[in-house]
Structure formats: C-alpha cells, structure tokens
Amino acid sequence: MQFVDEASIILEAGNGGNGCLSFRREKYVPKGGPDGGDGGHGGSVYLIGDDALNTLIDFKYQRFYKAQNGQPGMGRQMSGKAGEDLHVKVPVGTTVIDEDTLEVIADVTEVGQVVLVAQGGRRGLGNVHFKSSTNRAPRRTTPGTEGERRNLRLEMKVMADVGLLGMPNAGKSTLIRAVSAAKPKVANYPFTTLVPNLGVVKLGHHEHFVMADVPGLIEGASDGAGLGLRFLKHLTRTRLLLHVVDVAPFDESDPVEAAEAIVHELEQFSQALSERPRWLVLNKLDLLPADEREAHAKEIVERLGWEGPVFCISAIAGEGTEPLVQAAYRWLTEQRRLENEDEQAAEREREMRRRMEAEAVARTEARLGRKRKRDDEDDDDFDDDDYDVEVEYVP
C-alpha cells in the first residue's frame, strides 16, 4: 500500500433548491391563492477523524467530493427535500488548509471529530411567503443559493508521543522493533526506512505510549539532499525527541559530527521543533569492546557539550532499552500531569503547537508557490509527493 501524507482535494456543498411559484387550483374553490413551497437546503460537507486510516492514498484517486443539492419546492406548500450531508473520513492527525487563502481550517486530532468544511446552500422561498393584503397573487420567489466550493490541502502528521531522530542506519528502526510490535524494514544499508513507522510501547496493562520512527536525515537535507526534510513534519506532534547516534559507524565517520549535523538540519526545518525536549541515545555499544564503551560514550557527550539525559543502549541486543522506555513513560506522565494542574504549563504547550502550525503554513505556502511556478512552466502531472512503498502500523 502506498503511503501518501499530502493531498489536494476539491469539496463542493450542495446548492439550495429554488422556491416554487404556484397557485392553488381546486374544483369548487373559487378563490385560490399562492401555495408555492420552499426549496430544500443543500447538503454540507464534513470531515470526520477515523483511526482506521493511516494514509491519504484514497484522495490521490478521488479528488472531487460533492454533497447533494436540495430539491426545489412544490405546489400545495410542499417543501423540497434537503440534500444529504457528505461525511468524508480522514486519518486522525490531518491538518486541513484552504489552498486559496492558506487558512488552517481545522486540525483533526481526535477519533470521531467532525469538521464543517463546506456549507450547503440556503433554500429558496416559495411565493406563499410574499402574499399580503395588497398583493394577494405574488409572483415572486427566491432561488436557492449555491453551495460553498473549496480547494483544500490535507496534510497528515502521525500522532505519536515520542519521536526518533537520527542519521540513516543509526538504529532507529531496530530500536522501535525492540520496544514495540512494529516491524519496519531493517538492513545494513542507509535509507531502509522510507516512510514513518508507528509502534505502541507497552510497559504494563494500562501503561503505554506511541513511538514514531521517520526516515533518517543526512547533512544538507534542508537543501534537498537525501530524502530531505519531507518527513520531519511527522515529529511535530511528538512531545519528546530521542536523538539516536551510532557510536561505531560502519564508514568510520565521526559520531559527534553526525549528531551536530542532525541538530543543524532540525533547526533549519523548525525552530520550534528544535526546542522540544531531546534526549541523547548512544546506540550500537555492542560493537565496541566492553572496556572501551564507557570512555567512548563519555567522550561523545563531552565533545557535544551535552547536558541533557543520556542513554547508552544496544537496540539489536535489547540492552538498555528498558530503562529508556521507562524513563520516557515517566516523563510523559509527569508532563501531562503538569499541563492538567498548571495553566501556565498548558499554555506553553499550546503556544509551542501554534508556532509549529505557523511554520507548517509557511512551508505549505512556499511549496505551493513553487508548485504553481512549475505548473506554469511544465504541464507534467508527476507528483513527487507519492511514494510506492509499504507502510505498516502495528498497535
């Protein structure tokens, strides 16, 4: 199944039905009168969050959605039938943006959340509404109004508590396989991960959190190298970042330089995301002699000038992963408690999300501007946002 996390669609609400021009005509009733009924309201278009979806691939093949029109009014003061509303299911974590105004219409973050995106047209009035003592045979009606039409941009971001960040082949996919039921592809070459992977980390019967693994970055990603920064947006909904560093790269590169390059690319992508709490995870310690591991890890921390939490693990052997996930769960639990009890902490989190959303809108505006420029220069309809790769979500 293809993984598609961006899509452009057109939504059109139904038109309102016209009012009816009619006069009563019955046998043995010498004096009739106006009896034209009203039209029906046009159907509206709603988006609804559905946790059974984890990709926007359906919107790649069907991009136009229209609600029903309202029926016109009829004689005998009979109103036309209202058009049925249209409910379009989208994955939880979808941001809805108006392509014409770049306004963020909604952020679908909950299962069953319903968002009105296109209002149906109003009904027209029949001539029965315009009778009066001076106008007993009105020939006036009103037409139904047109339904709202909108060009929307859907951008899906995976919903996760903890995000993994690092170079290709740093061991992020191995780590998520070790602590959850997710089974992303793992191999001894870079860029084995091409799409985000989600895994549910379970610590107890009611203790769990969601971890997200995104494709690795390389130096120059902000300029388009490698897979670029396309998938970093999937980390913007996370609360905690785990920066995974390969302490013994197969190409004998410097782990410190690699870690600093990741930080630079993160700052280039989003200043707000770079300010998220980030822990250092030194991985693949099993590749070093036992008597050299502590000294090597200490050297990396000192050269980075790192002052935050540090965890030394071997994801493939499962060493050190349990203390890491236990600490992450305790931290997440404490953060939620603080936000529930302290309004200032809750406001800081809301402000952080507002900043990230503003940055996302700016990126969308720049991307759409470039796309429109390309469309003006070339009619090629190839969409480089689509990747024919497998996506897997394992709860």
Side-chain angles (χ1 to χ4, degrees):
M1 182 174 65
Q2 289 181 326
F3 179 81
V4 179
D5 57 1
E6 296 180 356
S8 294
I9 61 175
I10 301 172
L11 302 179
E12 187 173 304
N15 299 328
N18 296 328
C20 176
L21 176 62
S22 173
F23 293 93
R24 185 179 178 187
R25 295 283 190 274
E26 290 186 35
K27 191 175 182 180
Y28 308 120
V29 181
K31 295 183 179 180
D35 68 349
D38 303 333
H41 294 299
S44 299
V45 182
Y46 297 86
L47 300 183
I48 182 169
D50 187 348
D51 60 348
L53 303 177
N54 54 20
T55 175
L56 297 174
I57 188 172
D58 293 340
F59 301 103
K60 174 185 176 183
Y61 300 107
Q62 182 177 350
R63 303 200 175 190
F64 181 75
Y65 297 83
K66 188 180 188 318
Q68 283 188 347
N69 294 330
Q71 293 183 354
M74 295 168 281
R76 298 186 179 180
Q77 300 187 32
M78 290 190 293
S79 297
K81 182 180 179 181
E84 290 187 9
D85 295 332
L86 177 64
H87 290 81
V88 181
K89 295 180 179 180
V90 297
V92 175
T94 300
T95 301
V96 186
I97 302 172
D98 190 310
E99 282 198 339
D100 298 321
T101 64
L102 296 179
E103 171 194 2
V104 177
I105 298 174
D107 215 4
V108 183
T109 58
E110 298 178 2
V111 176
Q113 180 180 347
V114 179
V115 178
L116 173 65
V117 289
Q119 179 66 54
R122 298 286 297 175
R123 66 181 182 181
L125 299 179
N127 65 335
V128 70
H129 288 279
F130 301 97
K131 65 182 179 180
S132 66
S133 59
T134 58
N135 186 7
R136 297 184 179 183
R139 307 190 67 83
R140 178 186 172 188
T141 62
T142 60
T145 61
E146 292 186 354
E148 193 174 10
R149 180 186 174 97
R150 303 188 87 161
N151 299 315
L152 299 184
R153 180 78 170 178
L154 304 181
E155 296 189 357
M156 190 195 77
K157 306 179 186 72
V158 297
M159 303 290 290
D161 303 299
V162 176
L164 301 181
L165 185 69
M167 284 283 189
N169 237 37
K172 303 184 301 299
S173 296
T174 304
L175 175 56
I176 199 172
R177 287 173 68 102
V179 300
S180 75
K183 294 295 182 280
K185 184 177 180 180
V186 174
N188 61 348
Y189 55 84
F191 298 114
T192 52
T193 300
L194 299 176
V195 297
N197 292 286
L198 292 179
V200 180
V201 182
K202 294 184 177 180
L203 294 88
H205 188 61
H206 295 292
E207 299 175 342
H208 63 270
F209 62 87
V210 180
M211 180 179 288
D213 169 30
V214 300
L217 301 179
I218 63 175
E219 188 173 3
S222 57
D223 296 323
L227 292 179
L229 298 174
R230 180 175 180 272
F231 292 110
L232 262 182
K233 67 183 179 185
H234 293 285
L235 298 182
T236 58
R237 297 190 190 277
T238 62
R239 293 172 175 266
L240 175 65
L241 299 177
L242 299 183
H243 186 167
V244 182
V245 177
D246 183 353
V247 299
F250 67 91
D251 59 358
E252 299 184 351
S253 58
D254 187 355
V256 174
E257 292 181 358
E260 292 174 340
I262 290 295
V263 174
H264 173 72
E265 300 302 333
L266 185 64
E267 292 173 345
Q268 290 293 312
F269 173 77
S270 168
Q271 187 62 40
L273 183 59
S274 68
E275 296 173 9
R276 276 292 194 196
R278 182 163 45 92
W279 294 357
L280 188 64
V281 180
L282 303 180
N283 190 26
K284 302 187 182 181
L285 284 175
D286 57 305
L287 299 180
L288 300 175
D291 57 346
E292 297 180 11
R293 296 176 184 177
E294 184 177 350
H296 190 64
K298 184 177 180 180
E299 179 188 359
I300 292 176
V301 172
E302 290 178 350
R303 289 178 58 195
L304 284 173
W306 186 264
E307 298 179 354
V310 180
F311 293 86
C312 298
I313 71 168
S314 170
I316 196 169
E319 298 176 4
T321 57
E322 185 65 21
L324 172 60
V325 296
Q326 289 284 356
Y329 178 75
R330 288 194 299 270
W331 186 88
L332 290 168
T333 302
E334 179 63 16
Q335 287 299 115
R336 294 190 182 100
R337 185 192 66 80
L338 284 175
E339 291 174 15
N340 289 332
E341 298 177 0
D342 186 350
E343 180 58 32
Q344 291 184 349
E347 180 56 34
R348 284 194 297 270
E349 176 64 21
R350 289 192 291 267
E351 177 59 27
M352 175 71 74
R353 293 184 182 275
R354 282 194 290 265
R355 288 176 57 195
M356 289 185 185
E357 199 56 58
E359 292 174 342
V361 171
R363 288 192 297 271
T364 299
E365 183 176 10
R367 185 168 60 253
L368 291 178
R370 291 192 297 269
K371 184 176 183 298
R372 287 165 183 162
K373 183 177 180 180
R374 289 198 305 270
D375 291 343
D376 292 340
E377 297 173 352
D378 186 3
D379 291 332
D380 184 8
D381 60 357
F382 173 75
D383 188 354
D384 62 359
D385 283 343
D386 297 339
Y387 292 78
D388 191 7
V389 293
E390 293 292 326
V391 61
E392 182 176 2
Y393 182 95
V394 181

